């Protein structure tokens, strides 16, 4: 090595080329940080609406850009529009139930997309295979950022590459300088008013700042896991679900289980046949049951039965050891008979709910469970067409597709608006329509409620008007929580503000008046109410207290305090002295 003036010359610096995986990993990390900042700006406002749609759009566009940049073979083009469509549904309706279903659909779609990127099969796979894939994708989203930073990115390459080294140094310097700028800038702004105006009145709120930083880091961490799987995880195989030989069952065991259940279902159908599809007069014969118990209680038990049969049949088909061709035919006959009996039971459940809704009105729980039952009917039909014909691999994907289609249909139907329209169209709506309950629903119910208010009893109308003015004032709106339904609701309330103000304030209720609600407000199946007080104390010579008959679980006049009205013929058919 040459020397100059006796001093050894410096050894030349050796630069190592950054590998392709490190380069893509750095790009993924930078994109995740950007999505984290966008998440802090958009997603901190609740309830989610247009903000989640915009963030999902940013995520989808980032995935597409990274896949094109990294030259990923399978770009998962078909999955990204589905994810964006699920996010758009959140900005359509305001119902919390629909928003929760939309968010679940978005997570499942992203999970299946990540599972597909890891090499898993989705369209021609079993339901358990897809479920495990979604769980594995959730794990990737939770810990994928750690693998990205500590395994995919080789920091030794970054430290020896000239351009990458300078870029990392700039980011490290910015990370060190920003907190110091905030601290000293806040102190200097507090010391001089003109300097504070120059900085836009900047003040340092440490708890709020830490909240923003932590939330942005959380979103960036999850986004990093998703982006890593969609760009770097394609070569990893997906989990395979194979039946262990020790769990396999013969046709005798499977046949006994399904056959005995078929006998149980058949016995239930025969015993209940006289009033399975009967009218209220047939149902309410002496010594049977009350109308409310028959319709309300029976419906939810039958929904549970229908929901449990499907996984049972899928598990039996998966565990069956097909030693001979005849075993497959026996299973198909037994399973087909069970599905046929189940359709009869589901038809009875829907009939019970129709009678119950006709007597007591519509609520969220009744509507969504009815929709779930109808969707189960479609799924059982597809089960017979695929699994019972030896095409099990086609069942799971189509069942998920029908679930997404049912979700879109619910958005079109508008459940909360339908509840208001159905209850307002009842013959006794002028006195029994629960306007305060309708006003407590989401923005989806506001337009039909405004149309129904003029025909509602005054004390109920004023309570609903006061609730509408309080909830849908434009002054407390946040653009990030915008949805199409909330925009329409605020516009409708603003246009009819003068009319709603004329309905308020509500007259005070006399203290010495003891009244009873005709329809206790509830959105669930609920329990029979406690003994209702009467309008005045019973006379001392009365041999027995006055008993009123009040239907339960029907929010038709829940907030109104009125004496018990005359019941519908179906409701009046209950046993004397008991709440139907």
């Amino acid at each position: 090595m040459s020397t100059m003036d006796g001093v050894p010359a410096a050894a030349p610096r050796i630069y190592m080329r950054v590998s392709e995986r490190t380069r893509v990993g750095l790009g993924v990390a930078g994109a995740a940080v950007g999505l984290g900042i966008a998440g802090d700006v958009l997603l901190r406002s609740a309830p989610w609406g247009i903000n989640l749609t915009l963030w999902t759009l940013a995520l989808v566009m980032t995935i597409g850009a990274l896949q094109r940049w990294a030259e990923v073979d399978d770009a998962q083009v078909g999955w990204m529009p589905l994810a964006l469509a699920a996010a758009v549904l959140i900005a359509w309706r305001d119902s919390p139930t629909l928003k929760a279903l939309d968010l679940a659909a978005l997570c499942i779609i992203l999970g299946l997309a990540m599972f597909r990127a890891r090499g898993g099969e989705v369209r021609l796979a079993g339901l358990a295979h897809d479920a495990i894939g979604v769980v594995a994708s959730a794990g990737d989203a939770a810990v994928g950022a750690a693998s990205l930073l500590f395994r995919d990115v080789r920091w030794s390459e970054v430290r020896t590459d000239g351009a990458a080294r300078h870029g990392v140094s700039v980011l490290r310097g910015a990370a060190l300088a920003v907190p110091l700028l905030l601290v000293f800038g806040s102190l200097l702004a507090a010391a001089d008013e003109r300097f504070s105006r120059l900085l836009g009145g900047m003040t340092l709120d440490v708890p709020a700042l830490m909240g923003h930083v932590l939330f942005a880091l959380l979103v960036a961490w999850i986004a990093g896991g998703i982006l890593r799987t969609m760009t770097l995880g394609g070569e990893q195989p997906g989990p395979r679900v194979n039946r262990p030989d020790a769990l396999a069952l013969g046709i005798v065991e499977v046949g006994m289980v399904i056959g005995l259940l078929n006998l149980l279902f058949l016995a239930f159908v025969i015993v209940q046949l006289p009033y399975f599809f009967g009218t209220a007069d047939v149902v309410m014969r002496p010594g049977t049951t009350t109308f409310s118990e028959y319709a309300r209680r029976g419906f939810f038990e039958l929904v549970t039965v229908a929901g449990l049969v499907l996984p049972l049949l899928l598990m039996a088909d998966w565990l069956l050891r097909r030693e001979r061709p005849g075993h497959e035919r026996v299973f198909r006959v037994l399973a087909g008979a069970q599905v046929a009996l189940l359709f009869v039971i589901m038809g009875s459940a829907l009939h019970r709910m129709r009678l119950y809704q006709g007597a007591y009105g519509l609520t969220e729980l009744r509507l969504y469970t009815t929709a779930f039952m109808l969707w189960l009917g479609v799924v059982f039909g597809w089960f017979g067409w695929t699994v019972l014909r030896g095409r099990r691999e086609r069942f799971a994907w189509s069942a998920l597709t029908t679930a997404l289609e049912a979700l879109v249909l619910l958005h079109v139907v508008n459940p909360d608006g339908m509840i208001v329209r159905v209850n307002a169209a009842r013959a006794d709506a002028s006195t029994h329509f629960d306007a305060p309950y309708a006003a407590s629903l989401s923005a989806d119910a506001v337009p039909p409620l405004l149309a129904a208010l003029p025909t509602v009893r005054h004390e109920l109308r004023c309570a609903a008007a006061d609730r509408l003015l309080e909830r849908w004032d434009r002054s407390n709106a946040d653009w990030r929580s915008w949805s199409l339904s909330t925009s329409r609701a605020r516009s409708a309330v603003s246009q009819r503000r003068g009319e709603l103000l004329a309905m308020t304030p509500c007259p005070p209720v006399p203290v010495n008046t003891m009244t009873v609600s005709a329809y206790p407000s509830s959105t669930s199946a609920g329990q029979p109410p406690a003994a209702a007080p009467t309008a005045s104390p019973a006379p001392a010579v009365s041999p027995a207290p006055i008993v009123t008959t009040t239907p339960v679980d029907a929010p038709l006049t829940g907030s109104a305090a009125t004496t018990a009205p005359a019941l519908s013929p179906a409701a009046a058919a209950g046993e004397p002295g008991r709440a139907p």
Side-chain angles (χ1 to χ4, degrees):
M1 182 179 297
S2 60
T3 60
M4 182 177 296
D5 298 333
V7 179
R13 184 180 297 274
I14 300 176
Y15 292 101
M16 182 184 300
R17 178 179 174 80
V18 174
S19 64
E20 182 67 16
R21 192 170 188 85
T22 298
R23 182 177 68 89
V24 175
L26 289 175
V28 170
V33 171
L35 288 173
I37 296 174
D40 179 68
V41 174
L42 293 173
L43 301 181
R44 290 177 64 88
S45 177
W48 284 344
I50 193 66
N51 51 356
L52 183 59
T53 304
L54 294 176
W55 189 86
T56 305
L57 176 62
L59 175 66
V60 168
M61 294 178 64
T62 303
I63 290 174
L66 286 174
Q67 288 181 339
R68 181 177 294 273
W69 177 56
E71 299 179 354
V72 177
D73 293 336
D74 190 356
Q76 312 298 332
V77 176
W79 290 98
M80 295 302 100
L82 286 177
L84 187 58
V88 169
L89 292 179
I90 297 178
W92 182 1
R93 294 298 181 189
D94 183 56
S95 169
T97 303
L98 287 182
K99 286 183 180 292
L101 293 175
D102 296 337
L103 185 60
L106 176 60
C107 293
I108 291 175
I109 291 171
L110 289 176
L112 291 176
M114 295 169 63
F115 180 51
R116 181 66 184 87
R118 297 174 70 248
E121 181 59 56
V122 175
R123 295 181 182 272
L124 297 177
L127 192 61
H129 185 73
D130 290 344
I132 292 177
V134 172
V135 174
S137 298
D140 286 345
V143 301
S147 299
L148 175 69
L149 295 177
F150 303 111
R151 189 174 65 182
D152 297 325
V153 177
R154 299 176 182 176
W155 296 104
S156 58
E157 299 176 2
V158 175
R159 287 192 296 268
T160 57
D161 182 83
R165 179 169 54 87
H166 292 308
V168 172
S169 298
V170 170
L171 293 177
R172 188 186 298 119
L176 295 174
V178 168
L180 296 176
L181 289 174
L182 291 175
V183 173
F184 287 106
S186 178
L187 293 174
L188 294 175
D192 186 83
E193 183 177 356
R194 288 181 297 178
F195 187 73
S196 176
R197 289 197 301 267
L198 178 64
L199 297 181
M202 183 192 72
T203 57
L204 181 62
D205 188 347
V206 176
L209 178 62
M210 291 302 299
H212 284 280
V213 171
L214 292 177
F215 188 81
L217 288 177
L218 175 63
V219 176
W221 186 269
I222 296 175
I226 297 174
L227 295 178
R228 175 189 180 273
T229 301
M230 297 300 294
T231 54
L232 296 173
E235 76 283 356
Q236 300 177 8
R240 299 296 177 183
V241 182
N242 298 318
R243 182 195 63 198
D245 293 336
L247 296 180
L249 297 177
I251 189 60
V252 176
E253 298 94 327
V254 174
M256 287 187 62
V257 172
I258 300 180
L260 292 176
L261 285 177
N262 287 347
L263 292 178
L264 178 65
F265 288 178
L266 180 62
F268 181 81
V269 170
I270 293 175
V271 170
Q272 302 293 315
L273 196 60
Y275 54 88
F276 235 15
F277 302 99
T279 61
D281 295 336
V282 177
V283 173
M284 300 310 306
R285 289 183 302 178
T288 56
T289 182
T290 65
F291 182 81
S292 177
E293 289 174 348
Y294 166 78
R296 171 175 57 82
R297 181 180 177 185
F299 173 78
F300 292 103
E301 273 77 358
L302 295 182
V303 170
T304 304
V305 170
L308 292 177
V309 167
L310 180 62
L312 173 65
L313 291 178
L314 289 173
M315 181 63 69
D317 178 74
W318 185 63
L319 294 176
L320 178 62
R321 185 172 55 247
R322 293 166 173 81
E323 298 174 341
R324 298 178 182 178
H327 295 175
E328 181 73 19
R329 289 193 294 269
V330 172
F331 172 78
R332 292 178 182 178
V333 170
L334 292 174
Q338 187 162 116
V339 171
L341 289 171
L342 190 64
F343 271 120
V344 178
I345 296 175
M346 292 168 63
S348 170
L350 292 174
H351 179 66
R352 292 174 184 230
M353 182 51 62
R354 184 181 64 84
L355 293 177
Y356 195 41
Q357 292 174 357
Y360 304 134
L362 194 60
T363 63
E364 287 184 280
L365 181 61
R366 298 168 198 169
L367 191 150
Y368 283 110
T369 48
T370 302
F372 175 70
M373 177 71 80
L374 294 175
W375 174 73
L376 275 181
V378 175
V379 172
F380 274 112
W382 185 248
F383 173 85
W385 183 256
T386 55
V387 178
L388 297 186
R389 297 179 66 211
R391 300 178 180 177
R392 179 188 176 96
E393 70 279 357
R394 299 181 180 273
F395 171 76
W397 174 248
S398 296
L400 292 174
T401 303
T402 59
L404 294 177
E405 293 171 351
L407 182 58
V408 174
L409 183 60
L410 282 174
H411 283 74
V412 175
V413 170
N414 183 10
D416 285 1
M418 183 178 182
I419 291 171
V420 175
R421 289 192 299 270
V422 170
N423 291 342
R426 290 169 53 87
D428 57 354
S430 59
T431 55
H432 295 161
F433 176 62
D434 193 348
Y437 165 73
S440 68
L441 297 174
S442 67
D444 303 327
V446 171
L449 177 58
L450 290 174
L453 275 183
T455 62
V456 179
R457 198 167 66 241
H458 174 67
E459 59 269 23
L460 300 178
R461 182 169 64 244
C462 70
D466 185 69
R467 186 71 179 271
L468 290 175
L469 290 171
E470 178 184 359
R471 292 185 64 192
W472 306 115
D473 186 7
R474 287 184 177 273
S475 60
N476 57 4
D478 189 334
W479 71 268
R480 293 172 295 183
S481 297
W482 182 92
S483 66
L484 184 60
S485 291
T486 56
S487 177
R488 290 176 175 176
R490 295 183 191 280
S491 177
V493 171
S494 177
Q495 293 176 2
R496 302 184 61 175
R497 183 176 181 84
E499 182 181 345
L500 293 173
L501 287 173
M503 299 178 186
T504 57
C506 299
V509 179
V511 178
N512 59 349
T513 301
M514 297 291 291
T515 55
V516 59
S517 172
Y519 297 91
S521 179
S522 172
T523 58
S524 62
Q527 297 295 330
T534 57
S536 60
V541 296
S542 176
I546 298 176
V547 179
T548 59
T549 303
T550 57
V552 299
D553 185 36
L556 297 179
T557 59
S559 300
T562 60
T563 56
L567 301 176
S568 62
E575 296 180 13
R578 295 182 61 185

mmCIF file of all heavy atoms in Angstrom, residues 6-27:
data_model
loop_
_atom_site.group_PDB
_atom_site.id
_atom_site.type_symbol
_atom_site.label_atom_id
_atom_site.label_comp_id
_atom_site.label_asym_id
_atom_site.label_seq_id
_atom_site.Cartn_x
_atom_site.Cartn_y
_atom_site.Cartn_z
ATOM 1 N N GLY A 6 5.258 9.032 4.860
ATOM 2 C CA GLY A 6 5.313 8.035 5.945
ATOM 3 C C GLY A 6 3.965 7.698 6.548
ATOM 4 O O GLY A 6 3.895 6.901 7.467
ATOM 5 N N VAL A 7 2.878 8.300 6.032
ATOM 6 C CA VAL A 7 1.535 8.034 6.580
ATOM 7 C C VAL A 7 0.814 7.089 5.645
ATOM 8 O O VAL A 7 0.710 7.373 4.442
ATOM 9 C CB VAL A 7 0.739 9.343 6.734
ATOM 10 C CG1 VAL A 7 -0.648 9.029 7.285
ATOM 11 C CG2 VAL A 7 1.477 10.285 7.667
ATOM 12 N N PRO A 8 0.328 5.948 6.121
ATOM 13 C CA PRO A 8 -0.357 5.004 5.238
ATOM 14 C C PRO A 8 -1.600 5.640 4.634
ATOM 15 O O PRO A 8 -2.330 6.390 5.283
ATOM 16 C CB PRO A 8 -0.725 3.847 6.178
ATOM 17 C CG PRO A 8 0.174 3.993 7.347
ATOM 18 C CD PRO A 8 0.436 5.448 7.493
ATOM 19 N N ALA A 9 -1.846 5.365 3.362
ATOM 20 C CA ALA A 9 -3.052 5.884 2.697
ATOM 21 C C ALA A 9 -4.279 5.150 3.206
ATOM 22 O O ALA A 9 -4.223 3.969 3.565
ATOM 23 C CB ALA A 9 -2.925 5.711 1.185
ATOM 24 N N ALA A 10 -5.404 5.874 3.251
ATOM 25 C CA ALA A 10 -6.660 5.273 3.722
ATOM 26 C C ALA A 10 -7.131 4.203 2.756
ATOM 27 O O ALA A 10 -7.017 4.358 1.529
ATOM 28 C CB ALA A 10 -7.735 6.350 3.871
ATOM 29 N N ALA A 11 -7.633 3.113 3.314
ATOM 30 C CA ALA A 11 -8.132 2.023 2.479
ATOM 31 C C ALA A 11 -9.402 2.468 1.761
ATOM 32 O O ALA A 11 -10.227 3.193 2.326
ATOM 33 C CB ALA A 11 -8.441 0.801 3.354
ATOM 34 N N PRO A 12 -9.574 2.102 0.535
ATOM 35 C CA PRO A 12 -10.786 2.504 -0.195
ATOM 36 C C PRO A 12 -12.029 1.888 0.444
ATOM 37 O O PRO A 12 -12.022 0.736 0.876
ATOM 38 C CB PRO A 12 -10.546 1.945 -1.605
ATOM 39 C CG PRO A 12 -9.582 0.817 -1.416
ATOM 40 C CD PRO A 12 -8.699 1.235 -0.274
ATOM 41 N N ARG A 13 -13.133 2.694 0.519
ATOM 42 C CA ARG A 13 -14.390 2.208 1.113
ATOM 43 C C ARG A 13 -15.068 1.247 0.135
ATOM 44 O O ARG A 13 -15.209 1.540 -1.054
ATOM 45 C CB ARG A 13 -15.327 3.379 1.417
ATOM 46 C CG ARG A 13 -16.612 2.959 2.130
ATOM 47 C CD ARG A 13 -17.487 4.168 2.384
ATOM 48 N NE ARG A 13 -16.825 5.107 3.269
ATOM 49 C CZ ARG A 13 -16.873 5.041 4.593
ATOM 50 N NH1 ARG A 13 -17.549 4.063 5.174
ATOM 51 N NH2 ARG A 13 -16.266 5.942 5.329
ATOM 52 N N ILE A 14 -15.470 0.125 0.650
ATOM 53 C CA ILE A 14 -16.130 -0.886 -0.166
ATOM 54 C C ILE A 14 -17.638 -0.711 -0.006
ATOM 55 O O ILE A 14 -18.174 -0.765 1.109
ATOM 56 C CB ILE A 14 -15.705 -2.305 0.256
ATOM 57 C CG1 ILE A 14 -14.190 -2.464 0.082
ATOM 58 C CG2 ILE A 14 -16.453 -3.357 -0.554
ATOM 59 C CD1 ILE A 14 -13.676 -3.799 0.562
ATOM 60 N N TYR A 15 -18.347 -0.481 -1.097
ATOM 61 C CA TYR A 15 -19.796 -0.315 -1.071
ATOM 62 C C TYR A 15 -20.462 -1.620 -1.510
ATOM 63 O O TYR A 15 -20.086 -2.222 -2.527
ATOM 64 C CB TYR A 15 -20.234 0.822 -2.001
ATOM 65 C CG TYR A 15 -19.801 2.182 -1.520
ATOM 66 C CD1 TYR A 15 -18.693 2.816 -2.074
ATOM 67 C CD2 TYR A 15 -20.500 2.801 -0.496
ATOM 68 C CE1 TYR A 15 -18.296 4.052 -1.621
ATOM 69 C CE2 TYR A 15 -20.099 4.050 -0.041
ATOM 70 C CZ TYR A 15 -19.002 4.666 -0.597
ATOM 71 O OH TYR A 15 -18.611 5.898 -0.143
ATOM 72 N N MET A 16 -21.434 -2.051 -0.720
ATOM 73 C CA MET A 16 -22.175 -3.266 -1.016
ATOM 74 C C MET A 16 -23.506 -2.868 -1.650
ATOM 75 O O MET A 16 -24.210 -1.996 -1.152
ATOM 76 C CB MET A 16 -22.442 -4.064 0.270
ATOM 77 C CG MET A 16 -23.188 -5.394 0.039
ATOM 78 S SD MET A 16 -23.570 -6.196 1.617
ATOM 79 C CE MET A 16 -21.908 -6.410 2.247
ATOM 80 N N ARG A 17 -23.827 -3.531 -2.732
ATOM 81 C CA ARG A 17 -25.078 -3.226 -3.419
ATOM 82 C C ARG A 17 -26.255 -3.716 -2.580
ATOM 83 O O ARG A 17 -26.249 -4.824 -2.051
ATOM 84 C CB ARG A 17 -25.084 -3.900 -4.790
ATOM 85 C CG ARG A 17 -26.381 -3.665 -5.572
ATOM 86 C CD ARG A 17 -26.313 -4.323 -6.925
ATOM 87 N NE ARG A 17 -27.575 -4.227 -7.618
ATOM 88 C CZ ARG A 17 -27.993 -3.151 -8.278
ATOM 89 N NH1 ARG A 17 -27.205 -2.079 -8.325
ATOM 90 N NH2 ARG A 17 -29.148 -3.134 -8.899
ATOM 91 N N VAL A 18 -27.269 -2.866 -2.477
ATOM 92 C CA VAL A 18 -28.477 -3.234 -1.715
ATOM 93 C C VAL A 18 -29.246 -4.289 -2.495
ATOM 94 O O VAL A 18 -29.520 -4.127 -3.689
ATOM 95 C CB VAL A 18 -29.358 -1.993 -1.464
ATOM 96 C CG1 VAL A 18 -30.672 -2.395 -0.804
ATOM 97 C CG2 VAL A 18 -28.620 -0.999 -0.594
ATOM 98 N N SER A 19 -29.619 -5.387 -1.826
ATOM 99 C CA SER A 19 -30.349 -6.467 -2.484
ATOM 100 C C SER A 19 -31.776 -6.021 -2.805
ATOM 101 O O SER A 19 -32.292 -5.034 -2.265
ATOM 102 C CB SER A 19 -30.380 -7.705 -1.590
ATOM 103 O OG SER A 19 -31.095 -7.428 -0.403
ATOM 104 N N GLU A 20 -32.396 -6.788 -3.685
ATOM 105 C CA GLU A 20 -33.760 -6.456 -4.112
ATOM 106 C C GLU A 20 -34.731 -6.532 -2.939
ATOM 107 O O GLU A 20 -35.624 -5.691 -2.799
ATOM 108 C CB GLU A 20 -34.190 -7.420 -5.217
ATOM 109 C CG GLU A 20 -35.581 -7.150 -5.776
ATOM 110 C CD GLU A 20 -35.677 -5.843 -6.529
ATOM 111 O OE1 GLU A 20 -34.615 -5.281 -6.882
ATOM 112 O OE2 GLU A 20 -36.798 -5.358 -6.738
ATOM 113 N N ARG A 21 -34.590 -7.511 -2.068
ATOM 114 C CA ARG A 21 -35.507 -7.651 -0.943
ATOM 115 C C ARG A 21 -35.348 -6.491 0.030
ATOM 116 O O ARG A 21 -36.339 -5.985 0.573
ATOM 117 C CB ARG A 21 -35.268 -8.976 -0.226
ATOM 118 C CG ARG A 21 -36.364 -9.334 0.761
ATOM 119 C CD ARG A 21 -36.224 -10.735 1.269
ATOM 120 N NE ARG A 21 -37.375 -11.144 2.066
ATOM 121 C CZ ARG A 21 -38.501 -11.640 1.595
ATOM 122 N NH1 ARG A 21 -38.643 -11.799 0.285
ATOM 123 N NH2 ARG A 21 -39.489 -11.986 2.394
ATOM 124 N N THR A 22 -34.115 -6.064 0.267
ATOM 125 C CA THR A 22 -33.906 -4.911 1.141
ATOM 126 C C THR A 22 -34.489 -3.647 0.528
ATOM 127 O O THR A 22 -35.104 -2.826 1.219
ATOM 128 C CB THR A 22 -32.415 -4.727 1.412
ATOM 129 O OG1 THR A 22 -31.908 -5.885 2.078
ATOM 130 C CG2 THR A 22 -32.166 -3.505 2.284
ATOM 131 N N ARG A 23 -34.317 -3.490 -0.772
ATOM 132 C CA ARG A 23 -34.850 -2.312 -1.446
ATOM 133 C C ARG A 23 -36.371 -2.267 -1.347
ATOM 134 O O ARG A 23 -36.959 -1.228 -1.014
ATOM 135 C CB ARG A 23 -34.420 -2.330 -2.916
ATOM 136 C CG ARG A 23 -34.872 -1.116 -3.728
ATOM 137 C CD ARG A 23 -34.328 -1.207 -5.143
ATOM 138 N NE ARG A 23 -34.959 -2.296 -5.862
ATOM 139 C CZ ARG A 23 -36.094 -2.171 -6.568
ATOM 140 N NH1 ARG A 23 -36.702 -1.001 -6.624
ATOM 141 N NH2 ARG A 23 -36.594 -3.205 -7.202
ATOM 142 N N VAL A 24 -37.022 -3.393 -1.608
ATOM 143 C CA VAL A 24 -38.481 -3.440 -1.511
ATOM 144 C C VAL A 24 -38.926 -3.261 -0.060
ATOM 145 O O VAL A 24 -39.924 -2.584 0.222
ATOM 146 C CB VAL A 24 -39.012 -4.760 -2.090
ATOM 147 C CG1 VAL A 24 -40.520 -4.861 -1.887
ATOM 148 C CG2 VAL A 24 -38.677 -4.854 -3.567
ATOM 149 N N GLY A 25 -38.181 -3.865 0.870
ATOM 150 C CA GLY A 25 -38.538 -3.704 2.282
ATOM 151 C C GLY A 25 -38.481 -2.265 2.735
ATOM 152 O O GLY A 25 -39.341 -1.802 3.485
ATOM 153 N N LEU A 26 -37.474 -1.518 2.295
ATOM 154 C CA LEU A 26 -37.404 -0.087 2.639
ATOM 155 C C LEU A 26 -38.569 0.673 2.032
ATOM 156 O O LEU A 26 -39.145 1.566 2.675
ATOM 157 C CB LEU A 26 -36.076 0.489 2.151
ATOM 158 C CG LEU A 26 -34.820 0.038 2.907
ATOM 159 C CD1 LEU A 26 -33.574 0.587 2.232
ATOM 160 C CD2 LEU A 26 -34.882 0.494 4.368
ATOM 161 N N GLY A 27 -38.937 0.327 0.796
ATOM 162 C CA GLY A 27 -40.090 0.972 0.190
ATOM 163 C C GLY A 27 -41.371 0.674 0.937
ATOM 164 O O GLY A 27 -42.220 1.559 1.146
#
